Amino acid sequence: MNDIAPNLTSLIGEVVGARLISHAGSLSNLAKCPASTLQILGAEKALFRALKTRGNTPKYGLIFHSSFIGRASARNKGRMARYLANKCSIASRIDCYSELNASIFGEKLREQVEERLDFYDKGVAPRKNLDVMKAAIESITNAVSEDGDGNGKNDVSAKKSKKKKSEDEAEGEAMDVDKPAAGEDEPQTEKKKKKKKKKKHKLEETQDEEMTTGAANEEVKQDETPKKKKKKKKNHEASEDVVPKTATEGKKKRKKSKTDDNDM
């Protein structure tokens, strides 16, 4: 119970708290119950009988076994059961949904119930719920900060030890790499030889391809050069044909001009 529901056990006790959880089915089911349901848990038969006969409903169920209700006077037992059920529902919800496994809230709630008993008996005014919860939160924060400091030191030492282990492992691996086994050397050398052969074969293939491409390019150039020469020859001949034609035409014009002068 101290591990499962520390606040509930510190408030109402191990036996009564365990009976409430078992009757509800689980701690989460108990946390979901409202305070009015938790007050009459274990008195269902009396409740339904009272509803049928239209009589008075029960004031308490399993919670009656708590020492607080036994200490209260007969006139204040119902009021005390209602107040205790309210605090039990708060404690069960804290236990169910909080991440901290601390009983500080349960102790503060128990103090509140004690103050309420004194109020019913002696008339001493109890503290307000808000003040009590503030005090509980402050005590929890202080406890968490102290635990955090201790855990921080432990974490630092653990990190240092992990670093040392990792460095030792790295050194061991380096030694293993530097000193390989004799059986492992032979396959490694064979693999290297195979890789070298593959590289040589690839280089030879690339050289052959380059030779073939170079030869093809040279043939293409040789085929192109005579064509260019032929074009040049044709252009030269055409220019020569044009020159004599122009000369003959000039002579003819001169002869015509001379004949015209003679006629005149």
Side-chain angles (χ1 to χ4, degrees):
M1 281 297 291
N2 287 321
D3 294 331
I4 295 163
N7 292 301
L8 189 64
T9 52
S10 63
L11 172 62
I12 205 169
E14 293 89 352
V15 178
V16 181
R19 283 184 182 180
L20 287 170
I21 291 169
S22 66
H23 195 81
S26 65
L27 183 62
S28 61
N29 289 339
L30 186 67
K32 290 172 187 175
C33 290
S36 59
T37 305
L38 196 146
Q39 183 182 350
I40 56 170
L41 271 180
E44 288 84 2
K45 285 183 180 180
L47 175 66
F48 292 122
R49 192 189 317 120
L51 291 173
K52 278 184 180 179
T53 59
R54 295 184 181 178
N56 294 325
T57 55
K59 294 177 181 178
Y60 28 71
L62 291 168
I63 224 168
F64 178 78
H65 299 287
S66 174
S67 61
F68 294 112
I69 294 170
R71 285 161 57 190
S73 62
R75 193 181 71 178
N76 295 323
K77 279 187 178 179
R79 299 161 86 184
M80 199 66 219
R82 187 168 64 249
Y83 189 81
L84 185 61
N86 186 11
K87 299 302 175 186
C88 286
S89 67
I90 292 168
S92 63
R93 286 166 192 171
I94 291 168
D95 290 328
C96 183
Y97 299 113
S98 70
E99 295 178 355
L100 295 170
N101 191 12
S103 63
I104 295 168
F105 279 104
E107 291 170 1
K108 296 293 181 182
L109 293 171
R110 188 181 179 86
E111 289 176 5
Q112 278 187 298
V113 177
E114 293 280 356
E115 289 174 1
R116 181 63 58 157
L117 266 176
D118 293 337
F119 173 70
Y120 289 146
D121 293 337
K122 300 172 185 177
V124 179
R127 289 180 294 171
K128 289 184 179 180
N129 189 34
L130 199 141
D131 297 333
V132 175
M133 290 296 109
K134 279 183 180 179
I137 290 165
E138 286 177 0
S139 59
I140 282 173
T141 52
N142 292 328
V144 169
S145 63
E146 289 175 0
D147 293 335
D149 294 334
N151 292 328
K153 292 178 181 178
N154 294 327
D155 293 336
V156 170
S157 61
K159 285 180 181 178
K160 287 182 180 178
S161 61
K162 284 181 181 179
K163 281 184 180 179
K164 286 182 181 179
K165 285 181 181 179
S166 62
E167 287 175 358
D168 295 335
E169 289 176 357
E171 288 177 359
E173 288 177 359
M175 293 293 288
D176 294 335
V177 170
D178 293 335
K179 295 179 180 179
E184 292 178 356
D185 291 337
E186 294 177 358
Q188 286 179 357
T189 53
E190 289 178 358
K191 287 180 181 178
K192 288 181 180 178
K193 287 179 181 178
K194 287 181 180 178
K195 286 182 179 178
K196 287 181 180 179
K197 286 181 180 178
K198 285 182 180 179
K199 286 182 180 179
K200 286 181 181 179
H201 187 64
K202 286 181 180 179
L203 290 170
E204 289 175 357
E205 288 180 353
T206 53
Q207 288 176 358
D208 294 335
E209 288 178 357
E210 288 176 356
M211 292 290 288
T212 53
T213 54
N217 291 327
E218 288 178 357
E219 289 177 357
V220 171
K221 287 180 181 178
Q222 288 176 0
D223 293 336
E224 287 177 355
T225 51
K227 287 180 181 180
K228 288 180 181 179
K229 288 180 180 178
K230 286 179 182 179
K231 285 182 181 179
K232 286 181 180 179
K233 285 180 180 179
K234 286 180 181 179
N235 293 327
H236 186 67
E237 289 174 357
S239 63
E240 286 177 353
D241 293 336
V242 169
V243 170
K245 284 181 182 179
T246 54
T248 53
E249 286 177 356
K251 287 179 181 179
K252 284 180 181 180
K253 286 180 180 179
R254 286 176 186 175
K255 285 179 180 180
K256 283 182 180 180
S257 62
K258 287 179 180 180
T259 53
D260 292 336
D261 293 334
N262 292 324
D263 292 334
M264 289 297 287

